[in-house]
Amino acid sequence: MMKKEAIVDRIEGKKAVLITDDEETVILPAAWLPDTHEGMAVDMDFTENPEREKASMEEAEDLLAEIKRMNGEE
């Protein structure tokens, strides 16, 4: 897991522009942050999800196989 701290620098329409403690810019839908406002401090946690990754890969492989069948490639 990785944790990032950020401040909402500005709101641009429906997007919130955050600046991390490492001076990186992150753009998120403002709706993801309740009561979003400039100067708001947020902590973000990023966690790997291997199960969802596996399911996504299987779905992509199934879709590719279906496209190949539709094109007569088996």
Side-chain angles (χ1 to χ4, degrees):
M1 179 172 70
M2 175 180 23
K3 184 172 187 168
K4 287 286 189 178
E5 296 176 350
I7 299 291
V8 176
D9 183 58
R10 61 191 180 278
I11 309 295
E12 295 180 351
K14 294 183 178 185
K15 308 262 186 215
V17 180
L18 289 71
I19 305 296
T20 69
D21 52 346
D22 298 328
E23 299 297 319
E24 299 164 319
T25 301
V26 178
I27 300 173
L28 297 173
W32 286 14
L33 303 168
D35 303 317
T36 307
H37 57 275
E38 291 179 5
M40 178 181 187
V42 295
D43 293 336
M44 299 176 285
D45 293 320
F46 296 92
T47 307
E48 186 177 359
N49 186 329
E51 293 84 18
R52 194 164 46 88
E53 181 180 346
K54 182 181 179 205
S56 179
M57 293 293 286
E58 290 172 355
E59 184 178 325
E61 289 170 359
D62 291 346
L63 181 58
L64 181 58
E66 183 178 334
I67 290 170
K68 285 182 176 181
R69 277 194 301 277
M70 290 172 61
N71 288 329
E73 305 171 34
E74 288 193 49

